[in-house]
Amino acid sequence: MDESPELVSLRNGTKVTIRPMVAGDGPALLSFFRGLPEEDRQFLRDDVTRPEVVERFVAKLDDDSVIPLVAEHEGRLVGDGTLHRTRHGWAVHVAALRVVVDREFQRSGLGTALAHQLVRRAVGLGLDKLVAEVVDNQIGARRAFEKLGFHQEATLKGHVKDIHGAKHDLVIMANDVSHIWERMEALVADYSPTAGD
Amino acid sequence: MAKSEIRVGGLGGQGVILLGHIIGKAASIYDSKHATLIQAFGPEARGSACSAQVTVADEAIGYPYVKSPDYLVIMSPDAYTQFAPQLKPTGTLLYENELITIDDRLPAGAKALGIPATRFAEELGRRLVLNIVMVGFFAGVTGLLSKDAMEKAVKGSVPKGTEELNLRAFRKGYEYGVELIGAATVTG
Ligand SMILES: CC(C)(COP(=O)(O)OP(=O)(O)OC[C@H]1O[C@@H](n2cnc3c(N)ncnc32)[C@H](O)[C@@H]1OP(=O)(O)O)[C@@H](O)C(=O)NCCC(=O)NCCS
């Protein structure tokens, strides 16, 4: 379920397909990342303009700790959204969200659509908590996540160095989705005041 | 199908009632049959015996109590001990096979089909959906109600936001059930 592509109509009427990343996406992904302006790229965790980095993303497709989605418009990739989780250890209930959208396609709801699909998948995987890491001056990204129900949970001072060597705070935004599962828990509790045979 | 009687048994907190409710809903709302549901609880909800009786029929049901079920869906050892002897000799037991061991309480001639439902639920991300794995298993093994009706009933009974995981749980149980009876017919 939900592995099928979803056709999204953006605010300006443009149609974009959101679908899982596939092995053949390597070259298109690389040109998408290379087309990003430096300011959108500089705070991404990896240097995504290097072919070997992108190849690594594509090679990891059968790893169930990463769920990668892409947004496609007329054969070109215009957005990338991933959900990262650990399969063992103390944070198995947590996943991190990362979203990047082509400049041309920003502010038309695509980032929100990608993030929304990832949140839905995370809930579908039974996760309790989602986090997103944004740099303090990424106002747009912070706003976008806030609109999806994330709130600022912690700040790591001077945690990020941009390509000019300047340090920035890293803001960790979180979204607790466990209430969704609490309702399910209540349903399976089998409690009823009418005890009997 | 004239009339099928189903008993669901387990512990409070395993979702016994929801399981019965989904079968009843699939029958009455989505498969245009008649269904009744009777729930029974032990003195405390969580951790104590809990059971549901579901009757599914083509015609209106006069007597809703299940004395000797055609199908027994069991999720805890206590429920097995209590209800196994009541199963019809031609009946089928569906049970969580990592929690329950079959013994001679089961009437001779009755079929017993097991599924590691708790493990499957955990692998899917939430132990909580154990009962939905059992719903799927029931659907796959018995074929009593259509898959479509059962899926709709699952979707319509679980909280918003949890549909996807619950449907995956259903399908996991369903596929396991279909494979199991397929294998059973081939070998025996
Ligand atoms: C963050 C990002 C993915 C948002 O994508 P997007 O497609 O522009 O997002 P949306 O169009 O869905 O915008 C959602 C809301 O976010 C806010 N927002 C987005 N960009 C903004 C900006 N530049 N300035 C102010 N608010 C902004 C707005 O409130 C917007 O809603 P509105 O347009 O109705 O006012 C995109 O800006 C991007 O790729 N940035 C670079 C990479 C990055 O920082 N990623 C986040 C870290 S994981």
Side-chain angles (χ1 to χ4, degrees):
Chain A
M1 185 192 346
D2 252 23
E3 287 303 307
S4 51
E6 186 191 29
L7 190 66
V8 193
S9 233
L10 300 184
R11 215 176 290 148
N12 56 11
T14 314
K15 300 258 192 293
V16 170
T17 304
I18 295 181
R19 59 165 175 82
M21 189 184 287
V22 295
D25 283 333
L29 201 58
L30 186 64
S31 50
F32 162 66
F33 284 133
R34 287 192 167 166
L36 293 175
E38 189 185 294
E39 51 184 301
D40 280 356
R41 218 186 322 120
Q42 63 181 344
F43 296 124
L44 299 179
R45 185 179 284 251
D46 303 290
D47 181 357
V48 290
T49 56
R50 286 165 47 195
E52 64 273 25
V53 170
V54 174
E55 274 316 310
R56 212 175 55 219
F57 291 168
V58 179
K60 273 215 290 211
L61 285 177
D62 50 4
D63 172 356
D64 70 355
S65 61
V66 186
I67 294 166
L69 300 180
V70 292
E72 186 178 334
H73 176 70
E74 293 176 350
R76 149 171 103 96
L77 297 188
V78 295
D80 171 55
T82 45
L83 190 70
H84 303 255
R85 56 177 178 150
T86 54
R87 303 293 278 131
H88 305 281
W90 66 8
V92 283
H93 60 298
V94 180
L97 245 65
R98 294 184 206 158
V99 183
V100 203
V101 167
D102 187 297
R103 255 299 148 92
E104 250 185 78
F105 285 76
Q106 285 183 15
R107 294 308 292 268
S108 52
L110 180 53
T112 302
L114 275 166
H116 191 76
Q117 274 228 10
L118 293 171
V119 172
R120 242 184 36 218
R121 277 171 195 246
V123 173
L125 292 167
L127 297 167
D128 275 335
K129 181 177 178 177
L130 308 174
V131 294
E133 295 179 348
V134 293
V135 180
D136 54 4
N137 60 353
Q138 284 176 293
I139 306 297
R142 290 171 65 169
R143 249 325 131 72
F145 282 119
E146 269 166 14
K147 284 192 162 177
L148 282 156
F150 286 74
H151 63 275
Q152 186 167 330
E153 187 160 291
T155 306
L156 304 183
K157 297 272 178 216
H159 198 75
V160 175
K161 223 182 222 181
D162 65 26
I163 35 192
H164 306 294
K167 285 186 185 161
H168 298 268
D169 294 348
L170 184 69
V171 177
I172 300 182
M173 302 189 71
N175 187 358
D176 188 340
V177 291
S178 59
H179 58 278
I180 291 175
W181 290 104
E182 278 159 18
R183 285 205 295 272
M184 182 75 189
E185 256 161 53
L187 257 190
V188 302
D190 292 328
Y191 173 75
S192 163
T194 48
D197 201 26
Chain B
M1 172 189 60
K3 179 167 146 185
S4 296
E5 298 185 343
I6 304 145
R7 164 79 78 169
V8 186
L11 296 174
Q14 284 185 318
V16 169
I17 305 305
L18 181 62
L19 203 170
H21 172 81
I22 289 174
I23 296 174
K25 191 163 177 169
S28 60
I29 301 183
Y30 301 109
D31 247 354
S32 329
K33 293 187 163 65
H34 293 267
T36 57
L37 172 71
I38 294 172
Q39 3 184 326
F41 300 90
E44 291 157 39
R46 191 169 287 274
S48 66
C50 179
S51 93
Q53 308 167 43
V54 190
T55 303
V56 175
D58 290 325
E59 266 134 52
I61 298 157
Y63 183 76
Y65 293 92
V66 172
K67 287 272 179 264
S68 182
D70 302 283
Y71 298 103
L72 200 50
V73 183
I74 296 294
M75 298 189 282
S76 78
D78 283 352
Y80 170 77
T81 310
Q82 189 179 349
F83 297 118
Q86 300 174 3
L87 184 64
K88 273 202 187 110
T90 52
T92 305
L93 167 72
L94 307 179
Y95 67 105
E96 197 323 335
N97 66 8
E98 286 183 355
L99 298 175
I100 298 156
T101 318
I102 300 304
D103 58 18
D104 56 14
R105 284 191 186 85
L106 192 72
K111 243 197 286 180
L113 299 167
I115 177 171
T118 310
R119 179 153 52 83
F120 285 164
E122 277 166 1
E123 282 167 7
L124 286 163
R126 288 267 164 180
R127 198 198 172 112
L128 209 57
V129 299
L130 150 71
N131 62 336
I132 308 295
V133 176
M134 291 303 288
V135 170
F137 188 53
F138 173 85
V141 164
T142 67
L144 194 64
L145 300 163
S146 74
K147 183 182 184 215
D148 187 49
M150 293 293 285
E151 283 195 353
K152 282 190 181 136
V154 168
K155 237 175 134 173
S157 306
V158 301
K160 203 163 172 294
T162 70
E163 296 95 336
E164 187 176 327
L165 179 54
N166 277 304
L167 280 176
R168 267 196 284 130
F170 172 84
R171 285 173 195 161
K172 182 80 196 177
Y174 183 86
E175 277 152 28
Y176 190 84
V178 168
E179 256 174 52
L180 196 66
I181 50 168
T185 17
V186 172
T187 53

Short mmCIF file of all heavy atoms in Angstrom, two decimals, chain B residues 58-95:
data_model
loop_
_atom_site.label_atom_id
_atom_site.label_comp_id
_atom_site.label_asym_id
_atom_site.label_seq_id
_atom_site.Cartn_x
_atom_site.Cartn_y
_atom_site.Cartn_z
N ASP B 58 -26.73 -16.01 7.06
CA ASP B 58 -27.41 -15.41 5.91
C ASP B 58 -28.76 -14.85 6.31
O ASP B 58 -29.29 -13.96 5.66
CB ASP B 58 -27.59 -16.45 4.81
CG ASP B 58 -26.26 -16.81 4.18
OD1 ASP B 58 -25.41 -15.91 4.07
OD2 ASP B 58 -26.06 -17.99 3.84
N GLU B 59 -29.32 -15.44 7.34
CA GLU B 59 -30.62 -14.98 7.78
C GLU B 59 -30.57 -14.38 9.18
O GLU B 59 -29.58 -14.50 9.87
CB GLU B 59 -31.59 -16.17 7.78
CG GLU B 59 -32.36 -16.24 6.47
CD GLU B 59 -32.40 -17.63 5.90
OE1 GLU B 59 -32.79 -18.54 6.66
OE2 GLU B 59 -32.04 -17.80 4.73
N ALA B 60 -31.65 -13.76 9.57
CA ALA B 60 -31.71 -13.14 10.89
C ALA B 60 -31.40 -14.18 11.97
O ALA B 60 -31.78 -15.35 11.85
CB ALA B 60 -33.08 -12.53 11.11
N ILE B 61 -30.70 -13.74 12.99
CA ILE B 61 -30.23 -14.67 14.02
C ILE B 61 -31.15 -14.59 15.23
O ILE B 61 -31.32 -13.52 15.82
CB ILE B 61 -28.78 -14.32 14.41
CG1 ILE B 61 -27.87 -14.50 13.19
CG2 ILE B 61 -28.30 -15.19 15.57
CD1 ILE B 61 -26.60 -13.71 13.26
N GLY B 62 -31.76 -15.73 15.59
CA GLY B 62 -32.68 -15.74 16.73
C GLY B 62 -31.95 -15.86 18.04
O GLY B 62 -32.24 -15.15 19.01
N TYR B 63 -30.95 -16.71 18.08
CA TYR B 63 -30.26 -16.99 19.32
C TYR B 63 -28.80 -16.60 19.19
O TYR B 63 -28.04 -17.24 18.47
CB TYR B 63 -30.39 -18.49 19.63
CG TYR B 63 -29.76 -18.90 20.93
CD1 TYR B 63 -30.39 -18.62 22.15
CD2 TYR B 63 -28.53 -19.56 20.96
CE1 TYR B 63 -29.80 -19.00 23.34
CE2 TYR B 63 -27.94 -19.94 22.16
CZ TYR B 63 -28.59 -19.66 23.34
OH TYR B 63 -28.01 -20.03 24.52
N PRO B 64 -28.38 -15.53 19.85
CA PRO B 64 -27.05 -14.99 19.59
C PRO B 64 -25.91 -15.65 20.38
O PRO B 64 -24.76 -15.36 20.15
CB PRO B 64 -27.19 -13.53 19.99
CG PRO B 64 -28.22 -13.55 21.06
CD PRO B 64 -29.15 -14.69 20.76
N TYR B 65 -26.23 -16.52 21.35
CA TYR B 65 -25.16 -17.07 22.19
C TYR B 65 -24.46 -18.22 21.51
O TYR B 65 -25.09 -19.05 20.85
CB TYR B 65 -25.71 -17.51 23.55
CG TYR B 65 -26.18 -16.32 24.34
CD1 TYR B 65 -27.50 -15.90 24.27
CD2 TYR B 65 -25.28 -15.59 25.10
CE1 TYR B 65 -27.92 -14.78 24.96
CE2 TYR B 65 -25.69 -14.46 25.79
CZ TYR B 65 -27.01 -14.06 25.72
OH TYR B 65 -27.41 -12.95 26.39
N VAL B 66 -23.15 -18.24 21.66
CA VAL B 66 -22.35 -19.29 21.03
C VAL B 66 -22.02 -20.35 22.07
O VAL B 66 -21.32 -20.09 23.03
CB VAL B 66 -21.06 -18.69 20.44
CG1 VAL B 66 -20.13 -19.79 19.95
CG2 VAL B 66 -21.38 -17.70 19.32
N LYS B 67 -22.61 -21.54 21.88
CA LYS B 67 -22.33 -22.62 22.84
C LYS B 67 -21.18 -23.47 22.35
O LYS B 67 -20.27 -23.83 23.09
CB LYS B 67 -23.59 -23.50 22.99
CG LYS B 67 -24.71 -22.82 23.77
CD LYS B 67 -24.54 -23.08 25.27
CE LYS B 67 -25.62 -22.39 26.09
NZ LYS B 67 -25.21 -21.09 26.61
N SER B 68 -21.25 -23.83 21.09
CA SER B 68 -20.25 -24.73 20.54
C SER B 68 -19.79 -24.15 19.20
O SER B 68 -20.39 -24.39 18.16
CB SER B 68 -20.90 -26.10 20.37
OG SER B 68 -19.97 -27.00 19.89
N PRO B 69 -18.70 -23.37 19.24
CA PRO B 69 -18.33 -22.59 18.04
C PRO B 69 -17.80 -23.45 16.88
O PRO B 69 -17.21 -24.51 17.11
CB PRO B 69 -17.24 -21.66 18.56
CG PRO B 69 -16.72 -22.29 19.78
CD PRO B 69 -17.82 -23.08 20.39
N ASP B 70 -18.01 -22.93 15.68
CA ASP B 70 -17.40 -23.52 14.49
C ASP B 70 -15.95 -23.04 14.38
O ASP B 70 -15.10 -23.74 13.87
CB ASP B 70 -18.15 -23.05 13.23
CG ASP B 70 -19.61 -23.42 13.28
OD1 ASP B 70 -19.91 -24.60 13.04
OD2 ASP B 70 -20.45 -22.53 13.57
N TYR B 71 -15.73 -21.81 14.83
CA TYR B 71 -14.39 -21.24 14.79
C TYR B 71 -14.04 -20.68 16.16
O TYR B 71 -14.84 -19.97 16.77
CB TYR B 71 -14.31 -20.09 13.77
CG TYR B 71 -14.61 -20.53 12.37
CD1 TYR B 71 -15.85 -20.26 11.79
CD2 TYR B 71 -13.66 -21.23 11.63
CE1 TYR B 71 -16.13 -20.67 10.49
CE2 TYR B 71 -13.94 -21.65 10.34
CZ TYR B 71 -15.17 -21.36 9.77
OH TYR B 71 -15.45 -21.77 8.50
N LEU B 72 -12.82 -21.00 16.57
CA LEU B 72 -12.34 -20.48 17.82
C LEU B 72 -11.07 -19.68 17.50
O LEU B 72 -10.14 -20.20 16.88
CB LEU B 72 -12.01 -21.68 18.71
CG LEU B 72 -11.91 -21.53 20.21
CD1 LEU B 72 -13.12 -20.82 20.78
CD2 LEU B 72 -11.76 -22.92 20.83
N VAL B 73 -11.05 -18.40 17.88
CA VAL B 73 -9.87 -17.56 17.63
C VAL B 73 -9.28 -17.24 18.99
O VAL B 73 -9.90 -16.54 19.80
CB VAL B 73 -10.26 -16.26 16.90
CG1 VAL B 73 -9.02 -15.44 16.58
CG2 VAL B 73 -11.05 -16.57 15.62
N ILE B 74 -8.09 -17.77 19.26
CA ILE B 74 -7.57 -17.74 20.63
C ILE B 74 -6.19 -17.08 20.70
O ILE B 74 -5.29 -17.42 19.94
CB ILE B 74 -7.49 -19.19 21.18
CG1 ILE B 74 -8.90 -19.79 21.27
CG2 ILE B 74 -6.81 -19.24 22.53
CD1 ILE B 74 -9.81 -19.11 22.28
N MET B 75 -6.07 -16.16 21.65
CA MET B 75 -4.81 -15.41 21.77
C MET B 75 -4.09 -15.58 23.10
O MET B 75 -3.05 -14.97 23.31
CB MET B 75 -5.08 -13.92 21.51
CG MET B 75 -5.60 -13.65 20.10
SD MET B 75 -5.70 -11.90 19.70
CE MET B 75 -7.18 -11.44 20.55
N SER B 76 -4.65 -16.37 24.03
CA SER B 76 -3.93 -16.58 25.29
C SER B 76 -4.13 -18.02 25.77
O SER B 76 -5.15 -18.63 25.47
CB SER B 76 -4.42 -15.60 26.36
OG SER B 76 -5.66 -16.05 26.88
N PRO B 77 -3.17 -18.55 26.53
CA PRO B 77 -3.27 -19.93 27.01
C PRO B 77 -4.53 -20.17 27.86
O PRO B 77 -5.18 -21.21 27.71
CB PRO B 77 -2.00 -20.11 27.86
CG PRO B 77 -1.04 -19.11 27.31
CD PRO B 77 -1.86 -17.94 26.87
N ASP B 78 -4.87 -19.20 28.71
CA ASP B 78 -6.07 -19.37 29.55
C ASP B 78 -7.33 -19.51 28.71
O ASP B 78 -8.20 -20.32 28.99
CB ASP B 78 -6.25 -18.15 30.47
CG ASP B 78 -5.29 -18.22 31.64
OD1 ASP B 78 -4.61 -19.27 31.78
OD2 ASP B 78 -5.20 -17.23 32.39
N ALA B 79 -7.40 -18.68 27.69
CA ALA B 79 -8.57 -18.74 26.82
C ALA B 79 -8.61 -20.09 26.09
O ALA B 79 -9.68 -20.67 25.89
CB ALA B 79 -8.55 -17.59 25.82
N TYR B 80 -7.43 -20.59 25.75
CA TYR B 80 -7.38 -21.91 25.10
C TYR B 80 -7.93 -22.98 26.05
O TYR B 80 -8.79 -23.77 25.68
CB TYR B 80 -5.94 -22.25 24.69
CG TYR B 80 -5.79 -23.68 24.24
CD1 TYR B 80 -6.22 -24.08 22.98
CD2 TYR B 80 -5.28 -24.65 25.11
CE1 TYR B 80 -6.15 -25.41 22.59
CE2 TYR B 80 -5.19 -25.98 24.73
CZ TYR B 80 -5.63 -26.35 23.46
OH TYR B 80 -5.56 -27.67 23.07
N THR B 81 -7.44 -22.97 27.29
CA THR B 81 -7.87 -23.95 28.28
C THR B 81 -9.38 -23.91 28.47
O THR B 81 -10.05 -24.93 28.51
CB THR B 81 -7.19 -23.65 29.64
OG1 THR B 81 -5.80 -23.49 29.40
CG2 THR B 81 -7.42 -24.76 30.63
N GLN B 82 -9.89 -22.69 28.53
CA GLN B 82 -11.31 -22.53 28.79
C GLN B 82 -12.19 -22.90 27.60
O GLN B 82 -13.22 -23.55 27.76
CB GLN B 82 -11.57 -21.07 29.19
CG GLN B 82 -12.97 -20.82 29.70
CD GLN B 82 -13.17 -19.36 30.09
OE1 GLN B 82 -12.21 -18.58 30.18
NE2 GLN B 82 -14.42 -19.00 30.33
N PHE B 83 -11.77 -22.51 26.42
CA PHE B 83 -12.71 -22.63 25.28
C PHE B 83 -12.44 -23.80 24.33
O PHE B 83 -13.35 -24.23 23.62
CB PHE B 83 -12.74 -21.33 24.47
CG PHE B 83 -13.23 -20.16 25.27
CD1 PHE B 83 -12.42 -19.05 25.51
CD2 PHE B 83 -14.52 -20.17 25.81
CE1 PHE B 83 -12.87 -17.98 26.27
CE2 PHE B 83 -14.98 -19.09 26.56
CZ PHE B 83 -14.15 -17.99 26.80
N ALA B 84 -11.22 -24.33 24.33
CA ALA B 84 -10.91 -25.40 23.37
C ALA B 84 -11.89 -26.58 23.46
O ALA B 84 -12.35 -27.07 22.43
CB ALA B 84 -9.47 -25.87 23.55
N PRO B 85 -12.25 -27.03 24.68
CA PRO B 85 -13.15 -28.18 24.75
C PRO B 85 -14.52 -27.93 24.14
O PRO B 85 -15.23 -28.88 23.81
CB PRO B 85 -13.28 -28.43 26.26
CG PRO B 85 -12.10 -27.78 26.88
CD PRO B 85 -11.80 -26.59 26.01
N GLN B 86 -14.89 -26.64 23.99
CA GLN B 86 -16.23 -26.34 23.45
C GLN B 86 -16.28 -26.36 21.93
O GLN B 86 -17.36 -26.30 21.34
CB GLN B 86 -16.67 -24.94 23.92
CG GLN B 86 -16.74 -24.80 25.41
CD GLN B 86 -17.03 -23.36 25.83
OE1 GLN B 86 -17.24 -22.48 25.00
NE2 GLN B 86 -17.04 -23.13 27.13
N LEU B 87 -15.13 -26.39 21.29
CA LEU B 87 -15.10 -26.32 19.83
C LEU B 87 -15.83 -27.52 19.22
O LEU B 87 -15.73 -28.63 19.72
CB LEU B 87 -13.65 -26.30 19.35
CG LEU B 87 -13.39 -26.14 17.85
CD1 LEU B 87 -13.88 -24.79 17.33
CD2 LEU B 87 -11.88 -26.26 17.56
N LYS B 88 -16.57 -27.27 18.15
CA LYS B 88 -17.24 -28.38 17.44
C LYS B 88 -16.18 -29.36 16.94
O LYS B 88 -15.11 -28.92 16.50
CB LYS B 88 -18.00 -27.83 16.22
CG LYS B 88 -19.38 -27.37 16.54
CD LYS B 88 -20.27 -27.33 15.32
CE LYS B 88 -21.58 -26.70 15.72
NZ LYS B 88 -21.78 -25.37 15.12
N PRO B 89 -16.46 -30.65 16.93
CA PRO B 89 -15.48 -31.63 16.44
C PRO B 89 -15.12 -31.40 14.96
O PRO B 89 -14.05 -31.81 14.51
CB PRO B 89 -16.19 -32.97 16.61
CG PRO B 89 -17.25 -32.72 17.64
CD PRO B 89 -17.67 -31.30 17.50
N THR B 90 -16.00 -30.71 14.25
CA THR B 90 -15.69 -30.38 12.85
C THR B 90 -15.15 -28.95 12.75
O THR B 90 -14.97 -28.44 11.64
CB THR B 90 -16.98 -30.44 12.00
OG1 THR B 90 -17.96 -29.63 12.67
CG2 THR B 90 -17.48 -31.86 11.86
N GLY B 91 -14.91 -28.33 13.89
CA GLY B 91 -14.55 -26.91 13.91
C GLY B 91 -13.08 -26.65 13.65
O GLY B 91 -12.28 -27.57 13.48
N THR B 92 -12.74 -25.37 13.65
CA THR B 92 -11.35 -24.96 13.41
C THR B 92 -10.88 -24.02 14.51
O THR B 92 -11.57 -23.06 14.85
CB THR B 92 -11.23 -24.20 12.06
OG1 THR B 92 -11.76 -25.04 11.03
CG2 THR B 92 -9.79 -23.87 11.74
N LEU B 93 -9.71 -24.34 15.04
CA LEU B 93 -9.09 -23.45 16.02
C LEU B 93 -8.03 -22.60 15.32
O LEU B 93 -7.17 -23.12 14.61
CB LEU B 93 -8.42 -24.28 17.12
CG LEU B 93 -7.47 -23.52 18.06
CD1 LEU B 93 -8.27 -22.61 19.00
CD2 LEU B 93 -6.59 -24.47 18.86
N LEU B 94 -8.10 -21.30 15.50
CA LEU B 94 -7.07 -20.39 15.00
C LEU B 94 -6.36 -19.84 16.22
O LEU B 94 -7.01 -19.21 17.06
CB LEU B 94 -7.70 -19.26 14.19
CG LEU B 94 -8.65 -19.68 13.07
CD1 LEU B 94 -9.22 -18.47 12.36
CD2 LEU B 94 -7.92 -20.56 12.09
N TYR B 95 -5.07 -20.05 16.33
CA TYR B 95 -4.42 -19.65 17.59
C TYR B 95 -3.06 -19.03 17.39
O TYR B 95 -2.39 -19.24 16.38
CB TYR B 95 -4.32 -20.87 18.52
CG TYR B 95 -3.39 -21.95 18.02
CD1 TYR B 95 -2.13 -22.12 18.60
CD2 TYR B 95 -3.75 -22.79 16.97
CE1 TYR B 95 -1.26 -23.10 18.14
CE2 TYR B 95 -2.89 -23.77 16.51
CZ TYR B 95 -1.65 -23.92 17.10
OH TYR B 95 -0.80 -24.88 16.63
#
